[in-house]
Amino acid sequence: MSEQPTEFKTFWSVAKQPKWILALLAALLMAAVFSLLGQWQLERSFRTVGLSQEEQQKYLQLEQILVPGKAVTQEQDGKPVVFKATPKTDRGYIVANRQQGGTSGYWIILDYVTEKGYTLVVANSWWPTEQEARSVLRVMLESGSQGSLQEFRGKLLATEAPEPLNPKKPDLLESLSTAQLVNLYSPDKPMNIYSGAVALEGTGDSAIVIKPQDEFVELNFLNIFYAIEWVLFAGFAIFMWWRLVQDERLGLRERDRVGKEANG
């Protein structure tokens, strides 16, 4: 049986050649890698932010989720925590710009010493005016009574960027920054302090109200765009194989046509 004329060779008759079979396997491998990268990128595009109703009601031991020197993550911010500590009343500060119920007020903050000897910044109460906060803090400091070790509950808070201090009011802070407080507590030597703070639970008008962010899914459109790009790359790898096989098939036909014209 005579060999099929080149000009009648089909796409698959060319594609079945060993070199193009190997090229197809390589293209499929590249497409698989690109697809996996696209899947990985897509998984990173969806992130759960905030706390579920169950998480907002479940108290965790502070030591279970936080260690001194480690920053509070976005996922930990607002989580209910329980801890044992001894309040210190020999020093305290007032933090301004604390929003509550649509009103800007002031927090009184003290440092507590936990069972393991770590320092924890604690927001004790909220007051609508600086004068009220100063009066309450003054009573606390003048009492000079050292609290006893007891259990407390509150909401974990991420530290804030420090704002410049007012030289005329050194005890008034514009932000709750543990890094800034370290310099105020112990400017000459390092100390074991938690990078986050805790807002104590309480009752009455002076109680600090922290409303955790409800759980929702956050979309990262940049990652979604990258995922689409990887899928396109996967398709392009297969397309390139098809294009190269097609070019060779058309090239064979062209050479056959030119040969026939040359032979007359």
Side-chain angles (χ1 to χ4, degrees):
M1 182 178 294
S2 60
E3 184 181 355
Q4 184 179 8
T6 303
E7 65 176 307
F8 296 111
K9 281 194 173 181
T10 64
F11 174 87
W12 292 111
S13 65
V14 176
K16 287 188 296 184
Q17 296 178 21
K19 66 175 183 178
W20 292 118
I21 293 177
L22 291 176
L24 176 61
L25 294 176
L28 291 174
L29 178 60
M30 291 177 61
V33 172
F34 291 150
S35 297
L36 290 174
L37 289 172
Q39 181 180 357
W40 172 77
Q41 202 79 57
L42 188 62
E43 290 174 354
R44 291 167 55 88
S45 303
F46 303 92
R47 187 166 67 99
T48 301
V49 179
L51 303 177
S52 65
Q53 293 298 321
E54 181 181 356
E55 289 175 320
Q56 293 180 24
Q57 299 172 3
K58 182 180 179 181
Y59 287 84
L60 300 175
Q61 290 290 336
L62 180 66
E63 293 81 3
Q64 291 180 350
I65 60 176
L66 195 62
V67 296
K70 184 179 180 180
V72 176
T73 64
Q74 186 177 6
E75 290 74 18
Q76 294 171 337
D77 193 17
K79 278 193 173 183
V81 293
V82 57
F83 61 96
K84 289 184 178 180
T86 302
K88 296 181 66 177
T89 56
D90 59 339
R91 60 192 178 193
Y93 293 90
I94 300 170
V95 184
N97 309 316
R98 303 297 101 179
Q99 299 293 327
Q100 187 159 306
T103 302
S104 180
Y106 300 81
W107 282 355
I108 292 177
I109 60 171
L110 303 171
D111 53 308
Y112 287 30
V113 180
T114 65
E115 285 184 293
K116 296 183 179 180
Y118 300 138
T119 299
L120 175 66
V121 177
V122 175
N124 180 277
S125 54
W126 178 89
W127 301 93
T129 66
E130 181 183 344
Q131 182 179 1
E132 288 177 286
R134 287 190 177 280
S135 298
V136 175
L137 179 59
R138 185 180 305 112
V139 172
M140 289 181 175
L141 299 181
E142 289 177 352
S143 67
S145 60
Q146 184 74 14
S148 59
L149 181 67
Q150 52 188 303
E151 186 175 271
F152 297 94
R153 294 187 171 212
K155 299 288 176 43
L156 187 60
L157 303 174
T159 187
E160 302 171 6
E163 296 290 340
L165 295 175
N166 185 347
K168 297 181 179 180
K169 296 181 178 180
D171 60 345
L172 179 63
L173 309 177
E174 298 294 331
S175 61
L176 181 54
S177 169
T178 53
Q180 188 176 56
L181 286 167
V182 167
N183 293 328
L184 297 174
Y185 290 155
S186 182
D188 300 324
K189 59 181 181 179
M191 62 185 301
N192 289 324
I193 185 171
Y194 286 100
S195 294
V198 173
L200 285 187
E201 287 187 351
T203 57
D205 295 337
S206 64
I208 296 176
V209 178
I210 301 294
K211 294 182 178 180
Q213 188 177 53
D214 291 331
E215 188 177 47
F216 69 96
V217 176
E218 184 180 70
L219 297 180
N220 188 319
F221 291 100
L222 183 60
N223 281 340
I224 292 176
F225 173 76
Y226 288 150
I228 294 174
E229 274 194 334
W230 286 120
V231 172
L232 293 176
F233 289 156
F236 185 72
I238 302 300
F239 170 78
M240 280 299 298
W241 173 83
W242 175 86
R243 183 69 263 176
L244 290 173
V245 174
Q246 187 74 346
D247 286 347
E248 175 158 316
R249 185 173 77 93
L250 296 175
L252 288 174
R253 286 188 175 182
E254 180 64 19
R255 288 197 301 270
D256 188 70
R257 184 185 62 79
V258 172
K260 286 182 177 181
E261 290 179 355
N263 293 330

